[in-house]
Amino acid sequence: MPHPQQDSSHLPMPVRALLRVLAALASSRLATVVITLSAAVLAWATWIESEYGAAAVGFGVYRSWWFAALLGLLGVNVLAAAVARFPWKRNLIGFLIVHAGILVLLVGCWISRRNGIDAQLAVFEGDRSSTAFEDSQHFELVVHPRNKTDNSPETIEIPFQPGPFNWDDYASLDSFPWRLARRDQGTLLERDGITLEVLDYYSDSRELPVPELTLAVCRGRAARKRDAEASRSLVLAVRRLRSPHMPNHPLTIGSREPLTDGQWVVFRMAASKAETDAFRDSRPEGPLGRLGQLVLHASGKKHCLPLEDIEGKPPVPLGESGMKVELVRFEPASLRVYLRTYPKEPDSRPGALLLHAYRTDLDQQDRQNGVFGSYWFDPTAKRDEAADGVPPQAIAAAAEPQVDILQGDDQKLYYRECRGIDVAPIAELPLDRSPVVVFDKSDVPATIYVDRFLPAAEPGVRVEAVGFENPEPMKRMKQQRAKIRLTVDGNAEEFWLGDGFSDTPETSQTLVEGNGRDVAIRLLRDRVDLGFQVALDEFERKLDPGTSRPS
């Protein structure tokens, strides 16, 4: 309904200016522009949600400052249109109700934006819970003073809004001006000698154990580049396991995977040049003996010891190294030996070795005293099972062909192949995808290529981003991680920090030492306490016909 123009020439200048502004804000032209623009934005937002999901459209549109400004301008236009028609007459009741409804709707949107809660409650059948998790996150810093008189910790919570994508992906997402939306990056806290900086962020990621080796394996001999249809991939990694009984002596465990036709491949790593040299010079010499042969390296010298020569005897000297070795236990069922080493200094602590004839991925070397070894077993030797105790299945396992691959201290790969007592020369494994034929003289040769190799100085984890185009986003829980730099009293450390749902303790909490205090930091999802328990008594999941989506 057009509003009749009124003569305002007799009014003061400020009042006339205010009326002109009010008339401009209440104009139907402005309403047409704002409503058309809002409709276009909502249509665009619908497309964004279909392409990138609800979290992305909430971040880029619905929770952005410019969308709030657009809705605010619409509210001002509606309010100005109603105010400009004051005093209101009876025939304007419908007009006022419609405009008041729009204002109530916009005010409700504003309240929901500021105080609304959008959280998920996870509860299993037969269980109960009262805690829901929001999409938002925050950093929690706990300052622990080392002063004995006052050791009460201080907790600092810092809100963190990183956005729905990996930060590196924003450069390739050019279908929307994502940079208009606000992200928390850079320095988030700087006070009392504590500085928190966010350097990078992954909205979804995975942890890869390193060192990691991916091999492409082909049957038979291949003189040309690998054929993708005729090959398969093997992923091998070295892991460090910490036992609660030995927190200061973690175990380094390699990988053992089937190669092809009863063949195996093992991947492990060396921690020093001496251990690398011991692997490269680990071939047995002479007859292996009835129970096998130990090839030990100490002080750079090689020592070959038949197992039956040291079984049940006192410690045996290792050449001129001044060290001694003792067979503690031989387990014939698994073909592994436990050895104790005695260093040259009598007051030094003895070391230990655990060596296997075929499960070399479980070998534990004596890195404390620098003694490294291999255990070789002859499956073709004649023996009395009742006397030796070696079962036929253990002999058959020791006879299976195996390729041992070692990451040396120089972060190169070395390999040895063995079929029982037949041990090929130990060589370097090329990293340029050159084909390497193993068991070439056998009836079942195989060709391997290094497809990918992630070296590491010691076993650990490497954080890798998962792109938003993940084809099965609902099959796994997303692991959100932030790369941060935390500085405490001048001591700065950089690290990846998980969101509390990560399975690896190393990336869920980190401690940085300062002057007389320690600062622990975690990245946590925001939680909502419902104030009551929700119990799931019975659950039945039904899917939409022809899909994997819950109905």
Side-chain angles (χ1 to χ4, degrees):
M1 173 184 293
H3 180 63
Q5 297 291 328
Q6 297 180 356
D7 184 15
S8 59
S9 60
H10 62 285
L11 297 176
M13 179 64 69
V15 176
R16 293 202 305 271
L18 181 61
L19 290 176
R20 290 194 185 98
V21 172
L22 181 62
L25 292 176
S27 68
S28 58
R29 291 182 180 179
L30 178 61
T32 302
V33 172
V34 172
I35 293 175
T36 302
L37 186 58
S38 299
V41 168
L42 293 177
W44 195 12
T46 302
W47 177 82
I48 293 173
E49 184 172 4
S50 66
E51 290 290 318
Y52 303 107
V57 73
F59 165 76
V61 180
Y62 298 138
R63 292 195 299 269
S64 65
W65 63 268
W66 60 266
F67 187 73
L70 180 62
L71 294 184
L73 182 58
L74 177 61
V76 169
N77 176 256
V78 171
L79 179 62
V83 171
R85 285 158 175 82
F86 187 82
W88 301 306
K89 298 179 181 180
R90 183 181 295 247
N91 61 348
L92 293 178
I93 292 178
F95 170 84
L96 294 175
I97 291 176
V98 171
H99 284 62
I102 296 175
L103 290 175
V104 170
L105 178 63
L106 293 176
V107 171
C109 293
W110 179 76
I111 294 175
S112 296
R113 173 188 170 93
R114 291 186 58 86
N115 303 317
I117 296 175
D118 185 6
Q120 293 183 348
L121 174 71
V123 58
F124 293 95
E125 188 174 7
D127 200 358
R128 62 183 59 204
S129 176
S130 63
T131 303
F133 293 90
E134 297 183 84
D135 251 352
S136 56
Q137 303 163 289
H138 69 275
F139 289 105
E140 181 186 83
L141 277 73
V142 181
V143 183
H144 299 274
R146 292 197 292 265
N147 187 353
K148 295 183 179 180
T149 59
D150 182 14
N151 56 2
S152 56
E154 177 190 3
T155 301
I156 306 172
E157 292 189 356
I158 307 168
F160 182 48
Q161 295 290 343
F165 302 115
N166 304 327
W167 283 358
D168 289 341
D169 290 339
Y170 284 97
S172 60
L173 300 175
D174 53 0
S175 58
F176 186 84
W178 300 104
R179 297 185 183 277
L180 292 178
R182 179 182 173 275
R183 284 183 287 150
D184 291 331
Q185 51 187 333
T187 302
L188 302 187
L189 174 71
E190 190 171 7
R191 79 176 201 192
D192 299 334
I194 300 176
T195 303
L196 173 62
E197 304 168 81
V198 181
L199 308 178
D200 200 357
Y201 175 77
Y202 291 158
S203 64
D204 192 12
S205 62
R206 55 173 167 249
E207 291 182 350
L208 300 177
V210 288
E212 182 193 72
L213 173 64
T214 302
L215 294 177
V217 181
C218 301
R219 291 176 178 268
R221 302 172 180 85
R224 51 190 173 84
K225 290 294 183 181
R226 64 181 175 90
D227 184 356
E229 297 180 355
S231 68
R232 64 188 183 93
S233 293
L234 287 180
V235 180
L236 306 107
V238 178
R239 294 172 173 83
R240 175 170 291 171
L241 304 180
R242 295 185 181 273
S243 169
H245 305 290
M246 297 187 302
N248 298 324
H249 298 280
L251 302 178
T252 301
I253 306 297
S255 294
R256 185 174 188 259
E257 296 290 341
L259 193 63
T260 176
D261 296 325
Q263 302 169 350
W264 297 86
V265 59
V266 168
F267 176 56
R268 49 202 177 106
M269 70 176 297
S272 64
K273 184 177 185 302
E275 187 173 354
T276 304
D277 294 340
F279 177 85
R280 300 180 67 183
D281 189 25
S282 59
R283 298 183 69 188
E285 297 179 0
L288 297 187
R290 179 173 48 87
L291 299 179
Q293 182 183 114
L294 297 173
V295 178
L296 303 179
H297 280 256
S299 300
K301 300 294 183 180
K302 179 178 179 180
H303 309 277
C304 298
L305 304 173
L307 196 62
E308 56 263 30
D309 289 355
I310 64 174
E311 186 179 23
K313 295 183 179 180
V316 177
L318 290 177
E320 299 178 355
S321 65
M323 305 185 66
K324 296 181 180 181
V325 64
E326 178 185 14
L327 176 62
V328 178
R329 186 167 71 254
F330 168 56
E331 296 184 357
S334 55
L335 288 180
R336 62 181 176 183
V337 295
Y338 291 84
L339 303 172
R340 181 178 292 119
T341 59
Y342 297 92
K344 184 187 305 183
E345 295 78 9
D347 296 335
S348 298
R349 187 175 61 183
L353 285 91
L354 172 62
L355 304 177
H356 300 73
Y358 57 92
R359 287 302 306 267
T360 53
D361 55 308
L362 303 178
D363 282 0
Q364 300 297 316
Q365 307 290 343
D366 181 13
R367 294 171 177 171
Q368 170 189 324
N369 295 315
V371 181
F372 313 100
S374 299
Y375 174 39
W376 301 98
F377 183 81
D378 185 2
T380 64
K382 294 182 178 180
R383 57 180 54 83
D384 184 357
E385 181 181 349
D388 298 338
V390 183
Q393 57 268 27
I395 297 175
E400 291 178 331
Q402 180 167 296
V403 179
D404 272 338
I405 301 177
L406 180 87
Q407 179 200 281
D409 68 299
D410 52 4
Q411 297 193 354
K412 296 180 180 180
L413 295 178
Y414 303 92
Y415 76 101
R416 65 186 183 192
E417 50 180 290
C418 55
R419 287 175 59 92
I421 60 174
D422 184 15
V423 183
I426 301 170
E428 183 176 342
L429 186 64
L431 303 178
D432 58 357
R433 294 193 176 184
S434 299
V436 174
V437 180
V438 295
F439 311 118
D440 190 27
K441 299 179 181 179
S442 69
D443 298 332
V444 283
T447 304
I448 60 176
Y449 309 82
V450 176
D451 209 8
R452 186 173 77 157
F453 176 46
L454 301 176
E458 58 182 17
V461 294
R462 174 179 176 268
V463 177
E464 182 179 84
V466 177
F468 68 91
E469 65 276 6
N470 186 12
E472 296 181 335
M474 299 303 294
K475 298 290 184 180
R476 51 183 292 276
M477 179 177 292
K478 291 188 175 182
Q479 302 293 327
Q480 302 173 351
R481 292 183 173 87
K483 185 178 183 181
I484 67 172
R485 180 190 294 124
L486 181 60
T487 305
V488 181
D489 301 328
N491 179 27
E493 294 188 19
E494 293 184 10
F495 45 85
W496 284 98
L497 199 62
D499 62 356
F501 287 87
S502 172
D503 294 331
T504 305
E506 285 84 350
T507 60
S508 61
Q509 178 170 326
T510 303
L511 189 72
V512 178
E513 297 182 355
N515 296 331
R517 58 180 176 174
D518 300 324
V519 178
I521 183 171
R522 293 191 297 171
L523 176 61
L524 301 175
R525 300 273 183 93
D526 291 338
R527 305 184 181 192
V528 178
D529 187 0
L530 302 181
F532 54 87
Q533 294 279 342
V534 176
L536 182 58
D537 182 49
E538 185 178 355
F539 174 73
E540 180 182 0
R541 184 187 184 201
K542 295 183 178 180
L543 304 178
D544 286 332
T547 72
S548 60
R549 300 191 176 198
S551 62

